[in-house]
Amino acid sequence: MENKIPLNIDGRDVEAAPGQTILEVARENGIDIPTLCYHARLSLIKSCRICLVDVEGAEMPMASCATPVVDGMVVHTRTDRVDQMRLEALKFLLVNHPLDCPVCDAGGECQLQNRTFEFGIKCNEFPPEAREVSPTPYGTPLIRQWSDRCVMCLRCIQACVDIPGADVLEVADRGFPSHVEAARKENCISCGGCLHMCPVGALTENLSRAKGRTWQLERTQTTCTFCGCGCQLELNSLLKKRLIKVTTKNDAGVNQGSLCAKGRFGYDFVNHPDRLTKPLLKKSGAFVEATWEEAFGFVAQKLREINENYGPESIGGISSSRATNEENFLFQKWMRACIGTNHIDNGARLASGSSLNGMMASIGWGAMTHSMDDVTQADLILLVGADVYDDNLIFSNKMREAMRRNNAKVILVDPRKTQWEKWANLWLRPLPGTDVAWINGLIRLLIEKGAISKEFVGTKTEGFEALQPSLSKFSPDFVKETTGILPTDLEAAAKLYMAAKKRAIVFGSGVAQHANGAETVKALCNLALVTGETEEGGGGLYPMLS
């Protein structure tokens, strides 16, 4: 157990873990320190100077977001000197920020507005200077940029770099005319991470014509249905009639406030005039609108007739891979308990069946061996046949977090060039359909170098004695002839594997949707088993399924 560090904040004796900052400890103990540029998911920016605190023994106030605690530290978060410095910092921020709260989209939930009210600023005491910022297109038309409202906190820039790694934004010009600009618009993926992180109204949603203030909107938390990630989001409806935007909470769900373009902006179909809002029944060869009671009655009647005439086994059901786990559970329960049939399938089986079958045969479990958040603890990521950046952005963000936290190394195995190629330490490009060969070749190298987990293999696996001789033909030369991967590259992969302690194996459609997908999945499971990655606290197996 880590040794706790004692310190005193505002007269309260508290304890901190090694490496924690004053701000983190204060928040854990319910002590409020105002911030503007700080965000827990981002690297330190230290631009706003709002989180200053006095530390006994220090000549000048210190930024609480960047100051680690030390044994016996005495901190004062509310002193006359600190309050005055925070007040002056806010006044300078308002020099370039118009007091247009009545018309600003962020009015009512703007962090700068809250701080201004908190410190009792009623007008701008420093006369604003004219600042000419040439209008330039933003990275995406889905977001509108208001440069005159920007306070240069730089959270949008840091969010774009840290979370998806898109690196679209940068500071243009210097001094007073400096401003945030989309310098690399071609990199923008319209994830809206900058929009979510902006603490003021400098970035606003530009898709919906209708707008509304926070007190006018009804926010309903729900699960995104565009993929199987399970991201949590809030549907913002105006007057309980029209959906006008999607927002997120920082602490809700696996996405922790992030979304992909579909989750953040793919809601326009809800209000689309072509959307069907009533059931259709075919009468006299044409579809006509019907009530829900008519539609349900018709379905129930047909199911009853088929059941009585041909038996329940003549009825089958297919559920949607876009439905939640709870909805799929209810569907199969209804089919089994009410209809009396076991003929049930899911739309995901065609795309993910080989992954399910391969993992069930190898480890008795058909899904991720660890939670999605556990990949952030890995120090090596083996990415096979998956374009996570384009297809599974939220999981890609978590892989990026592993790189920031643990300096995780990345081995990319894919004939295609994906976004992850520029972050990979090693890129292997096997011939399509030859994955089993290089995986077995890597396992053979690891066994030869003594890099396997002998305790795990000996106590928690079966069939290792049969596996070992079956690998004899998968020499580096054989792997080269079969896959095109050079022996030096295979050796480099083995070295990266041996240097790591927690190895995450991530694979996607390039594996699961291949004709030999199940065999490749079994080979990856073998690789995970020989190094003990299915253990709790290990790297884990992460299939990227639809």
Side-chain angles (χ1 to χ4, degrees):
M1 186 176 180
E2 292 182 335
N3 294 327
K4 293 293 185 179
I5 300 175
L7 69 155
N8 185 282
I9 304 179
D10 290 346
R12 289 176 53 185
D13 291 326
V14 297
E15 290 185 333
Q20 280 191 302
T21 63
I22 295 173
L23 179 62
E24 290 171 337
V25 179
R27 288 187 169 180
E28 280 185 1
N29 290 274
I31 300 171
D32 179 59
I33 298 177
T35 62
L36 189 66
C37 71
Y38 173 82
H39 194 280
R41 292 191 66 192
L42 303 180
S43 302
L44 290 178
I45 303 173
K46 298 181 289 185
S47 67
C48 70
R49 318 307 292 173
I50 304 298
C51 71
L52 294 174
V53 294
D54 268 323
V55 177
E56 291 189 8
E59 183 177 349
M60 294 296 294
M62 308 178 76
S64 62
C65 68
T67 306
V69 299
V70 295
D71 194 348
M73 176 183 276
V74 179
V75 180
H76 302 282
T77 68
R78 293 288 182 179
T79 65
D80 291 341
R81 180 170 69 162
V82 162
D83 283 344
Q84 187 60 37
M85 292 182 76
R86 290 174 181 169
L87 178 62
E88 295 303 315
L90 277 171
K91 288 179 180 178
F92 278 115
L93 287 178
L94 291 172
V95 168
N96 294 329
H97 190 85
L99 299 179
D100 62 349
C101 299
V103 298
C104 177
D105 292 354
E109 50 188 348
C110 170
Q111 294 181 35
L112 180 62
Q113 185 183 39
N114 294 341
R115 298 292 171 239
T116 302
F117 179 79
E118 178 184 350
F119 283 87
I121 300 176
K122 297 181 179 179
C123 63
N124 194 344
E125 296 183 14
F126 301 121
E129 299 182 36
R131 184 177 64 156
E132 294 293 332
V133 177
S134 301
T136 57
Y138 197 62
T140 171
L142 299 171
I143 297 174
R144 180 173 179 181
Q145 182 181 22
W146 305 74
S147 295
D148 59 331
R149 296 175 184 169
C150 178
V151 292
M152 296 297 289
C153 70
L154 308 185
R155 272 170 56 160
C156 56
I157 296 177
Q158 204 63 47
C160 192
V161 171
D162 281 357
I163 299 177
D167 193 21
V168 176
L169 309 172
E170 67 177 29
V171 176
D173 294 331
R174 294 183 179 181
F176 191 70
S178 63
H179 60 280
V180 174
E181 186 174 288
R184 292 166 289 278
K185 293 185 284 293
E186 67 279 3
N187 291 354
C188 185
I189 54 176
S190 300
C191 66
C194 53
L195 170 65
H196 172 68
M197 288 293 179
C198 182
V200 295
L203 297 175
T204 59
E205 195 268 355
N206 199 36
L207 181 62
S208 173
R209 283 186 169 184
K211 305 294 181 185
R213 296 303 180 84
T214 180
W215 57 85
Q216 297 174 306
L217 302 177
E218 181 178 354
R219 289 182 171 170
T220 305
Q221 185 169 321
T222 186
T223 303
C224 181
T225 59
F226 280 111
C227 79
C229 219
C231 295
Q232 296 299 294
L233 49 80
E234 297 173 314
L235 300 178
N236 290 239
S237 55
L238 182 63
L239 303 176
K240 298 184 178 181
K241 291 181 179 180
R242 186 173 185 85
L243 182 61
I244 64 167
K245 66 178 178 179
V246 168
T247 54
T248 52
K249 292 181 179 178
N250 291 324
D251 57 350
V254 296
N255 50 316
Q256 296 176 297
S258 297
L259 288 173
C260 66
K262 291 182 288 186
R264 181 81 62 183
F265 299 109
Y267 62 83
D268 52 337
F269 70 91
V270 174
N271 302 316
H272 198 280
D274 293 341
R275 185 188 177 199
L276 296 178
T277 58
K278 295 181 180 179
L280 300 180
L281 287 178
K282 184 171 283 189
K283 296 180 180 179
S284 302
F287 282 108
V288 296
E289 288 187 356
T291 65
W292 286 103
E293 289 76 12
E294 286 181 291
F296 285 136
F298 177 78
V299 172
Q301 176 190 347
K302 289 298 182 181
L303 287 174
R304 189 180 297 111
E305 290 176 0
I306 295 170
N307 198 336
E308 291 173 353
N309 294 331
Y310 306 103
E313 292 299 311
S314 62
I315 300 174
I318 301 176
S319 60
S320 172
S321 58
R322 300 291 182 252
T324 63
N325 289 338
E326 293 79 8
E327 290 165 340
N328 278 312
F329 175 82
L330 286 174
F331 178 80
Q332 65 84 27
K333 191 73 172 178
W334 172 66
M335 290 295 292
R336 288 189 169 100
C338 298
I339 303 298
T341 181
N342 287 319
H343 295 325
I344 306 165
D345 207 343
N346 186 277
R349 184 177 63 83
L350 181 62
S352 312
S354 59
S355 173
L356 173 64
N357 295 334
M359 293 187 69
M360 287 296 292
S362 297
I363 62 175
W365 180 256
M368 291 182 180
T369 57
H370 297 61
S371 72
M372 287 179 60
D373 287 331
D374 281 0
V375 79
T376 62
Q377 302 174 23
D379 52 9
L380 175 70
I381 299 172
L382 176 63
L383 180 58
V384 187
D387 190 351
V388 288
Y389 188 76
D390 281 348
D391 300 336
N392 304 90
L393 181 64
I394 302 306
F395 194 83
S396 178
N397 293 346
K398 293 183 183 297
M399 292 167 58
R400 294 265 309 159
E401 190 173 342
M403 293 172 60
R404 294 196 307 275
R405 277 191 189 182
N406 316 319
N407 193 27
K409 303 298 186 289
V410 178
I411 303 174
L412 173 64
V413 187
D414 204 313
R416 305 167 298 172
K417 183 176 182 179
T418 68
Q419 181 77 2
W420 270 88
E421 177 269 332
K422 68 179 183 182
W423 300 317
N425 301 87
L426 179 63
W427 180 21
L428 305 180
R429 284 157 280 185
L431 295 171
T434 63
D435 289 312
V436 172
W438 72 261
I439 297 170
N440 285 339
L442 179 58
I443 296 174
R444 172 180 159 159
L445 271 181
L446 294 175
I447 293 174
E448 289 175 352
K449 295 175 181 296
I452 67 171
S453 176
K454 294 181 179 179
E455 181 183 355
F456 180 82
V457 170
T459 60
K460 298 184 179 180
T461 68
E462 298 176 355
F464 180 73
E465 295 76 12
L467 171 69
Q468 198 165 1
S470 72
L471 301 173
S472 59
K473 74 173 185 179
F474 294 98
S475 64
D477 289 335
F478 177 84
V479 171
K480 176 186 175 182
E481 293 175 6
T482 306
T483 70
I485 295 175
L486 298 175
T488 52
D489 287 339
L490 193 65
E491 182 75 25
K495 286 183 179 179
L496 287 171
Y497 233 80
M498 292 170 62
K501 295 181 179 179
K502 295 181 179 181
R503 310 164 186 91
I505 300 175
V506 182
F507 63 92
S509 58
V511 170
Q513 295 185 27
H514 193 273
N516 301 323
E519 298 307 313
T520 305
V521 171
K522 290 177 184 177
L524 288 172
C525 289
N526 289 339
L527 177 60
L529 289 171
V530 296
T531 57
E533 302 309 331
T534 58
E535 281 281 78
E536 183 179 356
L541 278 159
Y542 299 89
M544 297 286 99
L545 308 180
S546 60

